[in-house]
Amino acid sequence: MVKLDNLTVSYRQHPALHHISGEFARGSLTAVIGPNGSGKSTLLKSVMGLLRPEGGRVSVQVPSARIAYLAQLTEIDRSFPLSVQDCVLLGCWSAVGAWGRVTPALLQRVQAAVVGVGLAGFEQRSVGSLSSGQLQRVLFARLMVQEADLILLDEPFNAMDSRTTEALLALIHRWHAEGRTVMAVLHDDEQVRQHFPQTVLLARELVAWGDTASALSQPNLRRARALSEAWDDNADICHIGEAPAPAPALRRAA
Ligand code: ADP
Ligand code: MG
């Protein structure tokens, strides 16, 4: 479904992803996990075609209208004056088009999605007045009406209460059962082990990609942590318990 071939992506010459290769199979349910700044959002944006690779390529076997992307909540503008119903209706964009009509059937689809995420009665509320959990439910309802084949979620459960997380996890499982391909950036190893069969472990480079139990082995997690500590090249490196540090010019951050 999605193939990464020696993908390198940089921001102003600073590589955020190095030489990543691998494949997300059609119908797979994959967690993308790694320390802060390890390139997880960069990976999703590259699959969406929002960033241009500096090297290598991303091939996506699905038309862009069939891809749904949920950005990190912090990147979403909530001040836009939009009702819950209209916000979900935006997910039908490819069916409605610029000059198309909103048919009763479409409105029914929207209503079913609003009910499906537990927000019946909120249709006319403005999205700016919602809590983070309610807003995330709205955005999931929008993904539902999109009927996408490939769904990309960036930290969908960040700052969510446990009831919202459970409701959204159930939706992800339903999408998986329907044969959609889902990738989600997550933080919680335990949640990944419980709910996501496949895992990509990133630390700017690829640490592991495969079934979750082997990808999240202790040696792999240690390696991801060690790599992330090595990035902070301005910080003083901690040498507790080691032989006296060599002269600064010879220090290695590994
Ligand atoms: P993650 O989602 O794993 O926390 P990101 O993919 O957001 O990581 O970022 C990877 C690296 O790229 C980080 O060092 C981050 O500071 C840097 N980065 C991300 N977005 C930008 C940007 N727009 N401009 C410059 N650097 C960026
Ligand atoms: Mg991120």
Side-chain angles (χ1 to χ4, degrees), residues 165-181:
T165 302
E166 272 167 39
L168 301 183
L169 268 169
L171 275 175
I172 290 176
H173 281 297
R174 198 167 100 197
W175 290 333
H176 180 50
E178 289 167 352
R180 303 181 206 277
T181 308

Side-chain angles (χ1 to χ4, degrees), residues 84 88 110-123 130 133-138 140-141 144 163-164 167-168 171 174:
V84 165
V88 176
V110 167
Q111 186 57 25
V114 170
V115 172
V117 295
L119 286 181
F122 282 72
E123 295 80 357
L130 301 177
Q134 290 165 337
L135 178 62
Q136 196 71 317
R137 287 170 186 257
V138 170
F140 264 70
M144 280 167 81
R163 275 187 57 203
T164 303
L168 301 183
L171 275 175
R174 198 167 100 197

Side-chain angles (χ1 to χ4, degrees), residues 10-12 14-17 34-43 45 51 72 75 154-155 185 187 202 204 231:
S10 301
Y11 297 101
R12 285 179 246 114
H14 291 285
L17 286 176
N36 278 335
S38 59
K40 305 179 297 292
S41 296
T42 302
L43 179 70
K45 288 176 185 170
L51 295 172
Q72 271 180 258
E75 294 185 11
D154 201 343
E155 301 200 20
V185 173
H187 273 299
L202 280 182
R204 298 201 183 171
W231 302 327

Side-chain angles (χ1 to χ4, degrees), residues 57-209:
R57 48 183 279 138
V58 180
S59 355
V60 182
Q61 305 298 323
V62 60
S64 55
R66 306 286 298 174
I67 308 177
Y69 168 62
L70 181 62
Q72 271 180 258
L73 210 48
T74 48
E75 294 185 11
I76 292 168
D77 178 9
R78 306 175 56 158
S79 61
F80 202 75
L82 198 65
S83 70
V84 165
Q85 187 182 47
D86 288 343
C87 185
V88 176
L89 189 57
L90 281 175
C92 306
W93 171 256
S94 63
V96 179
W99 313 107
R101 272 163 42 91
V102 177
T103 60
L106 273 183
L107 283 178
Q108 240 171 39
R109 211 160 103 197
V110 167
Q111 186 57 25
V114 170
V115 172
V117 295
L119 286 181
F122 282 72
E123 295 80 357
Q124 303 311 323
R125 276 275 292 273
S126 98
V127 289
S129 71
L130 301 177
S131 70
S132 303
Q134 290 165 337
L135 178 62
Q136 196 71 317
R137 287 170 186 257
V138 170
L139 298 173
F140 264 70
R142 191 166 79 181
L143 295 173
M144 280 167 81
V145 300
Q146 244 178 298
E147 294 286 351
D149 295 321
L150 173 60
I151 302 172
L152 314 174
L153 308 167
D154 201 343
E155 301 200 20
F157 310 131
N158 223 14
M160 295 299 131
D161 57 276
S162 59
R163 275 187 57 203
T164 303
T165 302
E166 272 167 39
L168 301 183
L169 268 169
L171 275 175
I172 290 176
H173 281 297
R174 198 167 100 197
W175 290 333
H176 180 50
E178 289 167 352
R180 303 181 206 277
T181 308
V182 182
M183 50 184 99
V185 173
L186 297 168
H187 273 299
D188 176 346
D189 304 6
E190 266 327 294
Q191 188 179 59
V192 170
R193 282 182 226 274
Q194 259 185 44
H195 295 281
F196 290 76
Q198 301 288 309
T199 292
V200 175
L201 177 58
L202 280 182
R204 298 201 183 171
E205 59 187 77
L206 185 60
V207 177
W209 189 335

